[in-house]
Amino acid sequence: MTTIAAFCDHCGEQLAGAAHDDCVRRRELEPPRYCGQCRRRMTVQVTPRGWTAKCVEHGVLTSI
């Protein structure tokens, strides 16, 4: 099942109708802060090996 993000995972704003060039550049170095599906703020843990981000509604994303 493919999920389409409606919100920016860095700033939390809607993807449609807004430029997110700065967000794209920041996401190269930082983990996501918002769920792209529901816009909830995620719990993020950064470790030396990578990061995990958890949305209470949609589960866990990981860089590992």
Side-chain angles (χ1 to χ4, degrees):
M1 182 170 133
T2 303
T3 305
I4 298 173
F7 301 100
C8 175
D9 64 359
H10 182 76
C11 71
E13 297 298 319
Q14 288 189 349
L15 289 175
H20 291 275
D21 298 334
D22 289 338
C23 296
V24 171
R25 283 192 294 275
R26 287 184 179 134
R27 278 286 287 121
E28 292 175 2
L29 301 173
E30 299 176 11
R33 301 296 177 180
Y34 293 88
C35 178
Q37 297 176 41
C38 67
R39 194 181 184 185
R40 291 178 197 259
R41 184 90 169 151
M42 296 194 290
T43 304
V44 178
Q45 182 175 16
V46 178
T47 65
R49 300 183 86 184
W51 54 261
T52 57
K54 181 181 179 185
C55 172
V56 296
E57 185 72 23
H58 297 102
V60 177
L61 298 173
T62 183
S63 67
I64 303 170

